Amino acid sequence: MATIQFDSAEERRSASLLGMWLFLATEVLFFGPLFFGYLRGRLAVHEAFVSGSHHIHFWLGTANTALLLTSSLTMALAVERAKLGRGVRLMLSLTAALGTAFLCIKAYEYASELGEAASARGGEAMFYFLYFAMTGVHALHLAIGIGLVAWLWLTARRYGERYSMPVEVTGLYWHFVDIVWVFLYPMFYLLERYNA
Amino acid sequence: MSYLTEGYTLRSWLTTHDHKRIALLYAVAITAFFFVGGAAATMMRLELATPAGDLVSADTYNKLFTIHGVIMVWFFLIPSIPSVLGNFLVPMMIGAKDMAFPRLNLASWYIYVIGGAFTLAALVAGGVDTGWTFYTPYSTMFANGHVVLVIAGVFVVGFSSILTGLNIIVTVHRLRAPGLTWFRLPLFIWANYATSLILILATPVLAMTLTLIALERLAGIGIFNPALGGDPLLFQHLFWFYSHPAVYIMVLPAMGVASEIIPCFARRPVFGYRFMAYAILGIASIGFLVWGHHMFVSGQSLYAGMVFSMLSFLVAIPSAIKVFNWTATLYKGSITFSAPMLYALGFVGLFTIGGLTGLYLASLALDVHLTDTYFVIAHFHYIMVGGSVMAYLGGIHFWWPKISGRMYPEMWGRAAALLLFFGFNLTFFPQYLLGYLGMPRRYHEYAPELQVLNLFSSAGAVVLAAGYLLPLGYLGWSLLYGKRASANPWEATGLEWQTSSPPPQHNFHETPRVERGPYGYDPVR
């Protein structure tokens, strides 16, 4: 492996972690315009956003929130187990399974909302546009995360007391994707749900 | 055995992880794009030699300035110094063997090439006429042409920028040689570090904003459409949130180059080193807060305009610190007017003019008169071409012995630097006057009484074109026939000069130890 630039495994680890933190900073800004668009839309066509949040599947979104938060737990456990060098595959499998379940439910949601979204007009069209764009970009990130976890599963033999950096780095990414959902869920499913 | 002789096959270059070779891959790619963008500019100046729109149609002219802007900004200026000189020099200047993530480094070059392919495909397929700014609603609802394809190209190349920036930041944090503390870093490193912060924090905003433009174009709904509760001004805010800091992506590394060349050829330590470092960080930070000065006449609130105006004036302070300190570095130095020094001094002068005219544009009332005129064109070309391109060429000359192991012909280098300085001013100074007289940008015809100044400008463009072709010729010549360079032909103090020219594959045979700050020059030789 071409790692001549590092003097030690610890230096390599800290560089990789820093690299991922910086990448996550990029990611925050990447989502930024979407959040601004949401804010602008919500202020401009408030009623449409209120009624829109009544039309999407509250319980499915809630179930997905539970799945994703649990997957962050299993991901955190995967990192711990990778450092111990045993049982990492189980936790990675659980993480990937929870992530995949999220995507399946999301796909079902999309399929059942598509018709209504296509016929929406004015502010409602904007609500659905933001809903699909924001949760879609999130789902894309999650799919990439599942791919990374699958790759970790395949290379699980490598990780142990001395070397667990890729699991840690992927873990950071996974938690970030989770946190984005923690914002998206209330924005689309919860706000004003009990008004109007 | 040097990095150049590690392998001679095309494959050995295209699969290299060596930051120095990747820098050269970038150099080849951006040079090609520079001449494509330059060709578009040449067509524009030819058209503008006469008041009537006779050489190209209005539509073609729109496509020319769009492709000129897109290519020069994203495919030349932004990657120029960070990806070529930064890639080559950052590890060497900090005594590292390579970048922190060599494979990512190579990947970012391929991403650049893929983004370039999209953009060239759009160009070949018929081009785009939105201008490089892609303003809505024109770009989303009305423009014909391959808007989505160009946006895809810019989106992709953005990730090349982000990954390069990320790589540089981690490299500077984690791979500094023993003893190389932050305040012993050369200013070139500070400049590229600050630039990289802007790259990773601003570029993603552009990426998502352009994605939203593409989606809105394809789906017919989107956040920039006022009929749905969206806002075209939101696009301008998001676009300039990236594109104003992008100016500092272009000019901060240029400042870094000048800060290396000027002390070396004045034989004086840079004046006020810490102020220079803090000024770089200051420009990078305040640069994030001034985007609204592109929107004074857009209908944004007057109070926002006042704040943006004030913040824009604030950027002038660290910028002025830098200009004063370069000048003070020259004081009582023993100055040699070598080619890199001529480029660097040209940079300081032209940057000063570009910066001061920026203050005109930052003034609310004056900007109403000058918005969208050639005054703006002249202002930002003084910064980007007079500033960044001059510094880039200065850097290429300064480090040419290190990069190629050969000396360039000095007389040719000086001649080209002077020719470029003259040609540049002849091209762009008349445009300040044209803009003040009211000639708007982005039109292929103009009032006949403006022809004399336009002729000056077009004649200058011819000189400028010759000036850019010259280095291509004599630097290419020197690769084969140039005098062999010693390890340190300029008697410079940076770590990169402590290893052979060209350097070995992993830069240093032994990791250097650093015991003092940079620029230990003495005017008395």
Side-chain angles (χ1 to χ4, degrees):
Chain A
M1 212 170 285
T3 50
I4 182 142
Q5 69 276 25
F6 297 117
D7 291 334
S8 65
E10 178 49 34
E11 195 175 88
R12 184 175 175 212
R13 174 176 171 272
S14 80
S16 304
L17 287 173
L18 177 62
M20 182 47 88
W21 277 111
L22 292 171
F23 182 71
L24 295 184
T26 293
E27 287 276 34
V28 171
L29 273 294
F30 185 66
F31 277 92
L34 289 169
F35 281 86
F36 267 98
Y38 176 91
L39 186 65
R40 182 66 179 77
R42 192 167 186 93
L43 292 173
V45 283
H46 184 250
E47 291 77 27
F49 276 56
V50 173
S51 79
S53 71
H54 286 80
H55 286 161
I56 55 177
H57 299 290
F58 170 73
W59 285 108
L60 291 180
T62 308
N64 258 348
T65 309
L67 288 176
L68 211 53
L69 289 178
T70 314
S71 80
S72 255
L73 170 68
T74 57
M75 188 72 229
L77 289 171
V79 173
E80 287 309 302
R81 297 233 172 157
K83 286 180 184 165
L84 297 172
R86 58 192 155 77
V88 63
R89 277 205 163 136
L90 174 66
M91 285 304 152
L92 290 174
S93 311
L94 284 172
T95 307
L98 288 164
T100 311
F102 177 99
L103 286 185
C104 292
I105 293 179
K106 198 77 222 152
Y108 171 78
E109 273 186 84
Y110 281 165
S112 66
E113 286 150 357
L114 215 51
E116 193 168 351
S119 60
R121 289 289 170 268
E124 292 237 349
M126 170 77 102
F127 174 82
Y128 276 112
F129 174 80
L130 282 165
Y131 166 76
F132 279 108
M134 295 180 84
T135 58
V137 174
H138 173 263
L140 180 68
H141 277 81
L142 186 58
I144 292 168
I146 294 170
L148 291 173
V149 169
W151 171 74
L152 290 176
W153 192 92
L154 290 173
T155 55
R157 276 167 208 281
R158 286 195 219 151
Y159 311 121
E161 227 171 294
R162 300 167 130 231
Y163 179 65
S164 59
M165 176 269 285
V167 191
E168 290 178 76
V169 169
T170 311
L172 283 179
Y173 174 83
W174 190 275
H175 298 314
F176 168 78
V177 176
D178 197 355
I179 288 169
V180 172
W181 182 257
V182 168
F183 283 90
L184 294 183
Y185 172 62
M187 279 166 53
F188 285 106
Y189 294 88
L190 292 184
L191 277 185
E192 313 259 9
R193 189 178 153 71
Y194 300 102
N195 286 346
Chain B
M1 196 72 170
S2 80
Y3 81 101
L4 291 170
T5 54
E6 284 293 330
Y8 293 97
T9 58
L10 188 61
R11 188 187 150 85
S12 77
W13 282 89
L14 294 180
T15 60
T16 183
H17 291 165
D18 184 338
H19 67 100
K20 300 183 287 305
R21 286 187 158 219
I22 296 168
L24 295 192
L25 290 177
Y26 267 113
V28 171
I30 70 163
T31 305
F33 274 105
F34 177 78
F35 282 99
V36 176
T42 309
M43 297 278 285
M44 285 150 69
R45 277 324 314 173
L46 272 178
E47 165 61 57
L48 294 174
T50 56
D54 38 18
L55 181 68
V56 294
S57 68
D59 194 38
T60 309
Y61 187 81
N62 293 347
K63 289 174 178 173
L64 285 173
F65 69 64
T66 302
I67 212 66
H68 172 70
V70 167
I71 285 186
M72 288 305 203
V73 169
W74 284 299
F75 294 91
F76 176 73
L77 281 165
I78 284 181
S80 61
I81 298 178
S83 297
V84 178
L85 294 173
N87 231 330
F88 194 95
L89 292 165
V90 165
M92 300 200 63
M93 282 186 169
I94 63 170
K97 296 188 184 77
D98 206 316
M99 295 286 258
F101 307 119
R103 277 185 295 184
L104 199 64
N105 200 11
L106 180 65
S108 67
W109 183 75
Y110 278 101
I111 293 170
Y112 171 90
V113 171
I114 293 167
F118 274 111
T119 306
L120 287 182
L123 176 67
V124 172
V128 176
D129 63 352
T130 59
W132 77 283
T133 45
F134 301 111
Y135 267 24
T136 53
Y138 184 67
S139 62
T140 47
M141 295 169 78
F142 304 109
N144 297 313
H146 303 271
V147 178
V148 174
L149 201 54
V150 171
I151 281 178
V154 175
F155 179 89
V156 170
V157 84
F159 282 89
S160 163
S161 300
I162 289 170
L163 296 177
T164 301
L166 189 153
N167 222 335
I168 289 176
I169 295 174
V170 177
T171 305
V172 173
H173 269 279
R174 291 292 185 259
L175 298 183
R176 301 194 309 279
L180 187 53
T181 56
W182 282 88
F183 285 105
R184 287 177 180 173
L185 288 173
L187 291 169
F188 182 84
I189 298 291
W190 276 105
N192 275 277
Y193 179 83
T195 304
S196 300
L197 284 175
I198 305 175
L199 281 172
I200 68 162
L201 294 177
T203 317
V205 175
L206 177 79
M208 181 52 80
T209 305
L210 293 183
T211 307
L212 287 166
I213 287 276
L215 283 176
E216 185 157 340
R217 212 177 143 79
L218 297 170
I221 38 175
I223 64 168
F224 306 128
N225 182 349
L228 307 178
D231 190 351
L233 269 197
L234 181 61
F235 172 80
Q236 295 185 25
H237 279 294
L238 294 171
F239 180 82
W240 290 113
F241 180 83
Y242 162 81
S243 292
H244 195 78
V247 176
Y248 299 109
I249 296 176
M250 302 174 209
V251 84
L252 281 174
M255 294 172 161
V257 169
S259 303
E260 298 303 312
I261 296 175
I262 290 172
C264 178
F265 292 103
R267 309 312 298 175
R268 289 260 292 151
V270 78
F271 183 86
Y273 168 84
R274 278 192 183 235
F275 271 93
M276 291 294 255
Y278 287 132
I280 288 169
L281 296 179
I283 293 170
S285 337
I286 306 171
F288 267 108
L289 306 173
V290 301
W291 75 88
H293 66 216
H294 295 268
M295 301 168 57
F296 285 157
V297 299
S298 71
Q300 76 178 353
S301 97
L302 179 63
Y303 299 103
M306 286 162 67
V307 172
F308 280 124
S309 171
M310 189 199 72
L311 287 164
S312 306
F313 274 91
L314 271 185
V315 187
I317 295 170
S319 308
I321 287 176
K322 300 202 72 75
V323 171
F324 290 138
N325 283 11
W326 287 316
T327 314
T329 305
L330 297 171
Y331 181 62
K332 288 192 175 173
S334 36
I335 297 168
T336 323
F337 291 104
S338 62
M341 187 63 158
L342 290 177
Y343 280 110
L345 294 175
F347 160 80
V348 175
L350 298 178
F351 171 75
T352 305
I353 297 176
L356 288 175
T357 50
L359 295 179
Y360 289 56
L361 295 168
S363 315
L364 284 171
L366 204 46
D367 184 66
V368 174
H369 176 61
L370 297 173
T371 287
D372 276 344
T373 67
Y374 268 82
F375 192 91
V376 178
I377 305 286
H379 155 68
F380 73 72
H381 280 85
Y382 263 77
I383 300 285
M384 294 178 188
V385 185
S388 302
V389 182
M390 286 295 265
Y392 172 69
L393 286 173
I396 289 287
H397 284 78
F398 185 55
W399 284 290
W400 190 254
K402 186 55 63 184
I403 294 170
S404 70
R406 304 274 187 166
M407 300 301 289
Y408 61 84
E410 182 61 37
M411 284 321 289
W412 282 99
R414 291 182 194 184
L418 293 174
L419 195 65
L420 280 171
F421 185 79
F422 172 72
F424 175 83
N425 281 298
L426 187 56
T427 311
F428 290 103
F429 199 82
Q431 296 187 7
Y432 279 126
L433 307 177
L434 285 168
Y436 189 77
L437 293 173
M439 178 168 165
R441 64 191 288 196
R442 295 183 168 178
Y443 284 89
H444 79 315
E445 50 192 9
Y446 54 87
E449 60 265 33
L450 299 175
Q451 189 178 10
V452 174
L453 287 168
N454 269 297
L455 267 177
F456 274 120
S457 185
S458 290
V462 176
V463 180
L464 206 50
Y468 287 130
L469 287 169
L470 268 182
L472 196 67
Y474 66 76
L475 290 179
W477 175 87
S478 83
L479 279 180
L480 296 176
Y481 307 110
K483 195 159 71 75
R484 296 256 175 209
S486 64
N488 189 1
W490 314 123
E491 295 172 41
T493 57
L495 287 182
E496 76 273 24
W497 301 105
Q498 292 184 15
T499 187
S500 51
S501 301
Q505 189 182 18
H506 295 301
N507 300 346
F508 300 95
H509 294 293
E510 263 173 67
T511 304
R513 301 190 74 81
V514 182
E515 268 138 25
R516 59 182 70 85
Y519 314 116
Y521 293 107
D522 183 356
V524 186
R525 282 198 232 204

